[in-house]
Amino acid sequence: MAIAVRTLDEGAWVNVENTRIVGVSNVWKLARHGICDCDVSFFVVEVFTDVGVDGRWVEARTGGQCIGCGEHGTTGWLQIGKMGEDSFRPVEVEGVHSPR
Ligand SMILES: [Zn+2]
């Protein structure tokens, strides 16, 4: 199954099947992230640099800043959501995420 994904507005949004799924300015709690020395980074996403599909999962790489220590960086692939049988289910941004 092909899933149509792209970024919009110069990386301000991730668009899946013509729906804006997630935008910048959210704070993502990241574990095992490699951006800074914080155990869990509270990472403000400033741009989505890449989007991709891995099976049913939609993933994105992001650039932004850890508000704990001020470090800027780019994440590995973060899972944004999963295509179900008939609809796309975004992840809960409030949870803890581990890029790969
Ligand atoms: Zn940090």
Side-chain angles (χ1 to χ4, degrees):
M1 173 176 50
I3 307 172
V5 298
R6 61 195 174 111
T7 57
L8 290 181
D9 299 342
E10 295 174 347
W13 292 92
V14 174
N15 190 292
V16 177
E17 301 291 346
N18 294 320
T19 303
R20 288 173 188 227
I21 297 300
V22 61
V24 293
S25 303
N26 284 308
V27 176
W28 292 68
K29 291 200 274 293
L30 303 182
R32 298 187 296 282
H33 47 78
I35 290 157
C36 58
D37 292 334
C38 300
D39 255 0
V40 174
S41 170
F42 288 71
F43 190 75
V44 183
V45 171
E46 293 167 345
V47 63
F48 292 96
T49 53
D50 280 304
V51 284
V53 176
D54 181 14
R56 290 177 168 269
W57 285 96
V58 172
E59 303 176 321
R61 291 166 59 96
T62 74
Q65 183 177 24
C66 173
I67 55 179
C69 67
E71 192 74 45
H72 283 269
T74 349
T75 67
W77 291 101
L78 280 171
Q79 290 181 329
I80 297 294
K82 189 177 186 183
M83 185 58 78
E85 286 304 316
D86 46 22
S87 65
F88 183 79
R89 297 190 199 102
V91 299
E92 290 186 27
V93 173
E94 293 76 17
V96 177
H97 304 270
S98 293
R100 59 169 184 84

